[in-house]
Amino acid sequence: MIFQANPFEQLLAVLAYWDRFLTGFLLTMWMYVWALFLGFLLGLLLALSRQYGHFFIQKIAIIYIEIIRGTPLIAQLFFISFLPNALNFSIDIMIIETNLFNRSFRLLDYPIFVGILTLILNSGAYQAEYLRGSFVSVGTGQLEAARAIGMSRFSSIRHIVLPQALRRVIPSWSNEAAYLPKYTVLVYFIGGVEELFSQADYIQHRTSFPFATYIIVAILFLITITLISKLLDTIHKRTSIPGL
Amino acid sequence: MVEPLLRVSDVSKSYDELQVLKDVSFDLLERDVKVIFGPSGSGKSTLLRCINMLNPPDKGKIFLRGNNITAPKVDLNTIRTRIGMVFQHFNLFAHLKAIDNVSIGLRRVKGLKKQEAYEKAFKALDRVKLTEWADHYPAQLSGGQQQRVGIARALAMEPDLILFDEPTSALDPELIGEVLQVMLDLAKAGTTMLVVTHEMGFARAVASELLFIDKGIIIERGTPEHFSVSPTSDRVKQFLQQLDVLYGSHEKLLDILDEEEKI
């Protein structure tokens, strides 16, 4: 009979690798934050193009959004990852690394770049649709009123629609903020990125306690996403318009 | 001859197959008030939206102080600062306090400094008797107050004329009075106004001319006296009678109810 440690001992054995959990987690969050914020800028650009752009620009935005939303993220990751090779060119990505817990900690190299880039391109399409929904919900009446006092189209969108749309989008946008950490783990499949799942894979092989390992991973996500939700909830309340 | 402040000349507008305005022409002199009325869907709102070029007309010309604003390459943003607009549903900027609703045009369009814009906006709020509510957001104001902020927003830009698109028809009866009072004050102070409304009392008090529009055509025009004493077309008589039943003679409304009960 194979020796089986009790659950508590399993957790302790796994937690002995706390530094790997932590560096993996930090790398996952690092990619997440870039993807969320640059994805937001891309989403804003796409949503503005789709909602207020000229015919041709609208079509480009729609096609982009539909392609991204209609294909699996994992396929997009492989696509971006293999693209340079398939087209016979190479990209030199600067390597940025630092030291964390006496181990080198990579913030940027080619696979990390591919991961972040793909997540930005992917998340941008989803964020665009949340944003567009909130542009629509502000309605055309205020935009007309702004034009009627002589504001340009750009100025009306910038000063009237955007401040309200960005407030209104928070509850639905928090969906994306909560989903994205979990999408980020797919970067594991391009290989060579020491994010949380690759670290977890290492730990479960070393300890032979996969259950305990992935429980820790799950708890890390649960805590993180709960905090993100709470934070966005607070921001939503703080920025609400009095009387509405 | 005095040049009219606003000249609308043979303006036509269609939405797809539907022709909303057909060869509408009239003049508006400086300090003049004209009222447009007619059944819903007759093109009244579209006419106002053609005048400030929110919906440019398909045919015809509009002149503001002799300048053709329907000509190509006219800077519409500048033109619109000279034509105020008050909306049926107020269309206040929901994220801005009353004072910011009124001053944003001064700041973002006319480029005034915040302090100077606030001073002017405060004067505009004073004209609609809302200075005490300057720091309130639209959602914290009653419908009547919101519409007065809407009027102040138009006033603050110091436009040549103000267009009113059914300014009281989205309001509770008790709130209509305060808005009409503000509009009467403006009219008496010499503001040039073009008002779409069914408030015949307001029209009688300040309008020099009433235009009755149906199906995109000015069917009849004349002084308030003309419409109250001797309207000529049957369509106008029928419409005025309906207004009279709804807003005027209580007995006639009871008659209608009685007749309905008999049936």
Side-chain angles (χ1 to χ4, degrees), chain A residues 9-205:
Chain A
E9 285 167 342
Q10 290 184 29
L11 276 177
L12 278 183
V14 165
L15 281 174
Y17 293 89
W18 63 271
D19 55 335
R20 283 188 177 264
F21 276 122
L22 198 58
T23 53
F25 175 74
L26 286 176
L27 184 56
T28 299
M29 284 298 114
W30 166 253
M31 294 191 291
Y32 163 71
V33 168
W34 280 106
L36 190 67
F37 287 104
L38 292 184
F40 172 76
L41 293 182
L42 175 63
L44 196 57
L45 191 70
L46 287 167
L48 288 170
S49 306
R50 184 163 180 182
Q51 189 63 19
Y52 303 112
H54 291 291
F55 179 81
F56 196 59
I57 291 185
Q58 265 183 33
K59 290 289 171 247
I60 291 174
I62 290 171
I63 290 168
Y64 178 84
I65 291 167
E66 289 315 314
I67 287 175
I68 294 289
R69 298 203 310 169
T71 55
L73 174 57
I74 188 82
Q76 294 161 15
L77 278 165
F78 289 149
F79 178 84
I80 302 282
S81 165
F82 297 136
L83 189 66
N85 203 315
L87 298 182
N88 262 325
F89 69 94
S90 64
I91 308 173
D92 274 331
I93 296 296
M94 184 174 48
I95 291 175
I96 301 177
E97 58 187 342
T98 174
N99 253 308
L100 208 60
F101 310 120
N102 300 319
R103 288 163 21 82
S104 81
F105 179 65
R106 281 210 173 175
L107 291 169
L108 191 65
D109 58 15
Y110 181 69
I112 293 175
F113 173 78
V114 166
I116 292 176
L117 178 67
T118 312
L119 287 168
I120 291 168
L121 296 177
N122 179 276
S123 185
Y126 287 91
Q127 294 193 47
E129 289 298 274
Y130 288 126
L131 284 163
R132 195 172 67 93
S134 72
F135 289 161
V136 172
S137 80
V138 174
T140 53
Q142 294 183 47
L143 201 56
E144 277 183 359
R147 300 307 306 276
I149 53 172
M151 288 172 79
S152 67
R153 196 172 162 75
F154 176 81
S155 182
S156 309
I157 293 168
R158 156 87 181 72
H159 294 290
I160 304 301
V161 178
L162 268 186
Q164 294 179 61
L166 293 183
R167 286 177 167 99
R168 282 171 185 244
V169 81
I170 295 173
S172 56
W173 186 79
S174 70
N175 263 325
E176 182 65 12
Y179 268 125
L180 198 54
K182 291 168 283 183
Y183 290 145
T184 306
V185 302
L186 286 183
V187 174
Y188 170 62
F189 290 104
I190 6 179
V193 181
E194 299 203 315
E195 46 70 68
L196 189 55
F197 264 69
S198 78
Q199 296 287 16
D201 191 48
Y202 175 88
I203 296 164
Q204 62 112 346
H205 275 110

Side-chain angles (χ1 to χ4, degrees), chain A residues 141 144 147-148 159 164 241, chain B residues 49 80 91 94-95 108 137:
Chain A
E144 277 183 359
R147 300 307 306 276
H159 294 290
Q164 294 179 61
I241 297 162
Chain B
R49 297 164 59 85
R80 292 198 188 105
N91 297 3
H95 63 305
R108 301 293 173 200
Y137 287 86

Side-chain angles (χ1 to χ4, degrees), chain B residues 11-13 19-26 36-39 41-44 47 211-221 233 235-236:
Chain B
V11 161
S12 297
K13 177 81 186 173
Q19 185 152 22
V20 191
L21 292 174
K22 285 172 213 161
D23 300 326
V24 172
S25 299
F26 66 93
I36 300 168
F37 72 115
S42 59
K44 308 179 301 278
L47 177 57
L211 310 173
F212 181 86
I213 297 190
D214 188 26
K215 294 180 181 138
I217 300 169
I218 298 181
I219 290 191
E220 194 165 335
R221 54 201 292 172
S233 87
R235 184 70 188 90
V236 178

Side-chain angles (χ1 to χ4, degrees), chain B residues 231-243:
Chain B
T232 50
S233 87
D234 289 340
R235 184 70 188 90
V236 178
K237 285 180 194 163
Q238 184 198 351
F239 186 80
L240 285 171
Q241 201 178 0
Q242 278 173 354
L243 278 187

Side-chain angles (χ1 to χ4, degrees), chain B residues 223-231 240:
Chain B
T223 60
E225 291 72 33
H226 164 80
F227 279 98
S228 61
V229 179
S230 55
L240 285 171

